[in-house]
Amino acid sequence: MSLLADLVNLDLSDNTEKIIAEYIWVGGSGMDMRSKARTLSGPVTDPSKLPKWNYDGSSTGQAPGQDSEVILYPQAIFKDPFRRGNNILVMCDAYTPAGEPIPTNKRHAAAEIFCNPDVVAEVPWYGIEQEYTLLQKDVNWPLGWPIGGYPGPQGPYYCSIGADKSFGRDIVDAHYKACLYAGINISGINGEVMPGQWEFQVGPSVGISAADEVWIARYILERITEIAGVVVSFDPKPIPGDWNGAGAHTNYSTKTMREEGGYEVIKKAIEKLGLRHKEHIAAYGEGNERRLTGHHETADINTFLWGVANRGASIRVGRDTEKEGKGYFEDRRPSSNMDPYIVTSMIAETTLLWNP
């Protein structure tokens, strides 16, 4: 008699050319992820060859009950690390039956910015540092923390090892390998300052692909924590008090920033970002005011400050960039629950298209 695990891990390629495509989209909260699967007649590598699909938007907070049909447009394909073989994960965005992007579809507007010839010519690179917190399922308290109590103060946990300092490494490593398998340009992981908190980095990736990859990496992480019986939180300040919050620092460069004389281009871009500080903060994630306090490696939410190697700044420029006169900078303001479509496209728009 087969065990459940045997059936879950069945290799379909020996018996059929059919594959399973998991269609994934962002739900009504702007942070929840939804997905459902369909059978295709054979392998597909081009998203334009995939059929559109529909779902009940009234059950995701994205349409009224009397007109609930929402249409999924496939946009990017990744290998499925759960089903493996030729099976795929499909990142989609959502439209009305008339072809209009629904209000929670932030990818559509981002794609318009990234298709602008002035943006395309600058080949914008992004590296996104996604922080998150692992929580014990039934109590919503960080993994490794005593229930109802607190561990020792911060200091021993960042990039730590040991059963008394590092909690959830099996989940983190499983996620790392699953993202590599999927074809996500994941560039690293590390344990964070608060125990039970971790980070993965996506990039450098070009344009809208960076946001697609972050969303799929989040999806894979939530699926893995589902299997492990653990909850993943992207709250920017999951524990009040003297504990670090969680952000999504966004590293950015353009073609001219990466070339000789690029440091002057970087400084002009940072000046533009400072002039639109309030607009960016408003778009950089819910609850960010609890994180951007001027403490715990953040700048105050109402203050725009940049500096070289300054982790208490809004924008940090690396020592290597200053020394070489070219490179990239890091926007440290986005929160862990930010929408990468909004953040990446807004940075491109402000630095490349906006004229003060």
Side-chain angles (χ1 to χ4, degrees), residues 95-111:
Y95 296 79
T96 67
E100 295 294 322
I102 66 171
T104 53
N105 177 357
K106 305 306 181 184
R107 192 187 192 281
H108 179 80

Side-chain angles (χ1 to χ4, degrees), residues 128-132 134 157-161 166-180 184-193 197-203 217 220-221 224:
I128 299 172
E129 306 170 29
Q130 175 69 70
E131 294 179 337
Y132 60 93
L134 297 175
Y157 309 108
Y158 173 70
C159 296
S160 66
I161 59 171
S166 179
F167 312 112
R169 189 184 300 275
D170 52 347
I171 293 169
V172 174
D173 273 351
H175 176 250
Y176 195 177
K177 290 181 178 179
C179 285
L180 286 170
I184 293 167
N185 190 23
I186 187 170
S187 48
I189 54 147
N190 61 268
E192 269 302 330
V193 176
Q197 190 181 83
W198 293 83
E199 174 185 299
F200 65 86
Q201 301 95 33
V202 168
I220 292 172
L221 178 59
I224 289 171

Side-chain angles (χ1 to χ4, degrees), residues 59-118:
S59 295
T60 63
Q62 293 172 296
Q66 66 272 20
D67 187 15
S68 65
E69 190 168 286
V70 180
I71 313 300
L72 293 172
Y73 287 33
Q75 299 292 356
I77 292 175
F78 299 85
K79 293 175 66 177
D80 186 339
F82 303 101
R83 296 187 177 106
R84 290 168 284 193
N86 290 319
N87 303 301
I88 54 176
L89 304 177
V90 184
M91 189 66 208
C92 304
D93 58 355
Y95 296 79
T96 67
E100 295 294 322
I102 66 171
T104 53
N105 177 357
K106 305 306 181 184
R107 192 187 192 281
H108 179 80
E112 290 184 335
I113 291 170
F114 284 118
C115 287
N116 185 294
D118 292 338

